Amino acid sequence: MTFLTPKAQALTPYTAGIQPKEPGWVKLNTNENPYPPSSKAAEAIRGANLDALRLYPDSDSNILCEVIAGRYGVALENVFCGNGSDEVLALAYQAFFAERDNILTPDISYAFYPVWAQMYGVTAKIIPLKEDFSIDPGEYVNSNGVILANPNAPTSRALTLAQVETIVRNNPHAVVLIDEAYIDFAGVASAVSLVPKYENLLVVQTFSKSYSLAGLRVGFAVGSRALVDGLQKIKHSFNSYPLGMLEQKAATAAMLDTDYWNETRQKVKATRDKTIGALRELGYAVQDSHTNFILMKAKDEGHAKGLYEHLLAHKILARYWQKPRISEFLRVSVGTDEEMEAFLQCVKQF
Ligand SMILES: *Cc1c(COP(=O)(O)O)cnc(C)c1O
């Protein structure tokens, strides 16, 4: 006996990385930030009037949207906040891609995209990455929608702003959604600057990675009035209060603390580049990373899985997929210098 609808029965849900319950792990599997969030975020939560929690929060997260609008030089009406960027992305799928065909996305990218496609009846047209995992913008034309992570995960490669603009221009009647979860670690510019020029561009970002707030669940989108209105319409047909009062206050304080944000981003990038150098010295092929993780290529058949299990036995968690094209790779999030030292020691041992 199943109580599930036929559609629910057919779903293949997203598999998130392991979150160990006991302490003592070096956790390099879900691209969290190794540094704590801004102390301003904690102060905002501690200083909040908790009696006010009896009231519903501001449905539109205006205090947060205003800070985001200020940061990126757009109007308030161009910003939308949600319960993690995963929620913003799911709402975007419903508003702009549901039941449509010819929605373009690469074969290797964020593993949630095919889940939403199935959930919302999207017929995706999968475009394989090039052999070196790069994206050819020329292949993204005349669609009913485009979804791209830039920088891409788990490849850590990035398109330039000019390449993103080409794609936006070549799909004028479709929404081009750029998921910039890792843009704050990239050597390329955010597509947010293009929003005033293109009505069909939606840029999605998160507080989970560069702001060290994965546990808070806050993400946002920047786009034209038409697209933000579309997201609002779906939001108010699903969950009108996605962000609690404390989430709004803490995320706002974190974004205003730009000094700390810059300091931790620089630390992550420096550790990343140092680790990539050390892995290359050990003979691993590793491309430059535009994210807070490293995709390392195994030396021979079976090496990636073996290394993953060796690390696991030493309480170091990385991410490994038994999937076409990436089964000979390991994705390793950038931790602190000490954590990466422990990781490198373990790799050497293996
Ligand atoms: C981490 C990640 C997200 C999800 O972020 P949340 O805001 O924590 O939901 C979205 N897209 C990509 C590509 C990611 O890596």
Side-chain angles (χ1 to χ4, degrees):
M1 173 72 203
T2 177
F3 294 103
L4 297 185
T5 63
K7 186 181 152 180
Q9 287 178 52
L11 285 178
T12 310
Y14 176 73
T15 336
I18 305 165
Q19 295 291 110
K21 304 247 174 346
E22 74 281 14
W25 285 87
V26 174
K27 200 172 172 304
L28 307 175
N29 66 331
T30 51
N31 301 341
E32 289 140 328
N33 199 305
Y35 301 106
S38 159
S39 59
K40 302 278 179 5
E43 278 168 34
I45 292 175
R46 271 196 296 270
N49 170 17
L50 297 186
D51 288 348
L53 285 174
R54 71 186 181 81
L55 301 171
Y56 282 104
D58 170 18
S59 154
D60 292 329
S61 302
N62 272 300
I63 54 161
L64 177 56
C65 287
E66 259 172 46
V67 169
I68 295 167
R71 157 69 64 83
Y72 290 108
V74 296
L76 189 59
E77 66 185 32
N78 298 120
V79 184
F80 178 90
C81 290
N83 184 232
S85 60
D86 281 345
E87 187 192 62
V88 178
L89 292 166
L91 295 173
Y93 265 77
Q94 292 170 75
F96 312 119
F97 302 148
E99 314 295 333
R100 291 194 160 145
D101 63 3
N102 201 25
I103 304 294
L104 312 183
T105 195
D107 61 337
I108 306 173
S109 195
Y110 188 34
F112 228 130
Y113 301 152
V115 178
W116 289 315
Q118 198 190 14
M119 180 93 162
Y120 301 119
V122 175
T123 307
K125 184 173 161 199
I126 307 295
I127 302 185
L129 297 180
K130 301 284 161 210
E131 200 53 40
D132 64 356
F133 289 168
S134 62
I135 285 171
D136 176 0
E139 292 183 299
Y140 292 77
V141 289
N142 301 327
S143 70
N144 292 324
V146 175
I147 170 132
L148 286 174
N150 193 49
N152 196 13
T155 66
S156 80
R157 293 194 58 130
L159 293 168
T160 63
L161 185 59
Q163 289 177 312
V164 171
E165 185 167 11
T166 300
I167 295 171
V168 176
R169 258 196 277 113
N170 287 341
N171 296 272
H173 306 298
V175 172
V176 175
L177 195 166
I178 307 293
D179 177 357
E180 293 189 344
Y182 300 103
I183 195 71
D184 298 333
F185 303 106
V188 297
S190 166
V192 160
S193 64
L194 301 176
V195 162
K197 259 174 90 179
Y198 298 98
E199 197 178 26
N200 63 324
L201 170 64
L202 190 72
V203 180
V204 175
Q205 293 193 13
T206 178
F207 281 79
S208 296
K209 315 276 166 51
S210 66
Y211 290 93
S212 307
L213 286 169
L216 198 68
R217 310 306 304 130
V218 183
F220 61 93
V222 180
S224 63
R225 174 80 192 262
L227 299 190
V228 169
D229 283 354
L231 291 173
Q232 290 286 6
K233 189 168 184 185
I234 302 295
K235 180 185 88 172
H236 287 294
S237 309
F238 177 67
N239 176 14
S240 281
Y241 302 100
L243 287 193
M245 183 189 89
L246 300 178
E247 283 79 7
Q248 295 181 31
K249 284 187 192 296
T252 301
M255 186 170 261
L256 287 171
D257 192 358
T258 46
D259 286 349
Y260 183 77
W261 177 68
N262 280 322
E263 186 192 314
T264 47
R265 284 192 310 148
Q266 294 319 324
K267 279 209 283 201
V268 167
K269 288 199 273 185
T271 305
R272 172 191 73 193
D273 295 341
K274 201 164 74 179
T275 308
I276 290 175
L279 284 170
R280 285 177 182 158
E281 263 172 40
L282 291 172
Y284 287 93
V286 188
Q287 291 189 352
D288 287 343
S289 166
H290 287 272
T291 60
N292 68 338
F293 59 83
I294 293 164
L295 189 70
M296 59 187 282
K297 191 171 195 301
K299 292 187 174 171
D300 43 48
E301 186 97 11
H303 185 109
K305 189 157 187 282
L307 179 55
Y308 170 77
E309 282 161 4
H310 179 76
L311 291 166
L312 200 61
H314 291 80
K315 300 201 93 175
I316 298 175
L317 269 176
R319 198 84 199 259
Y320 171 74
W321 295 272
Q322 200 118 41
K323 280 196 205 165
R325 296 193 77 186
I326 51 166
S327 62
E328 292 307 315
F329 289 83
L330 217 58
R331 191 194 72 187
V332 184
S333 311
V334 176
T336 60
D337 278 331
E338 295 71 37
E339 287 174 324
M340 298 323 273
E341 203 41 59
F343 159 75
L344 286 168
Q345 282 310 324
C346 213
V347 173
K348 265 181 219 162
Q349 227 177 49
F350 182 73

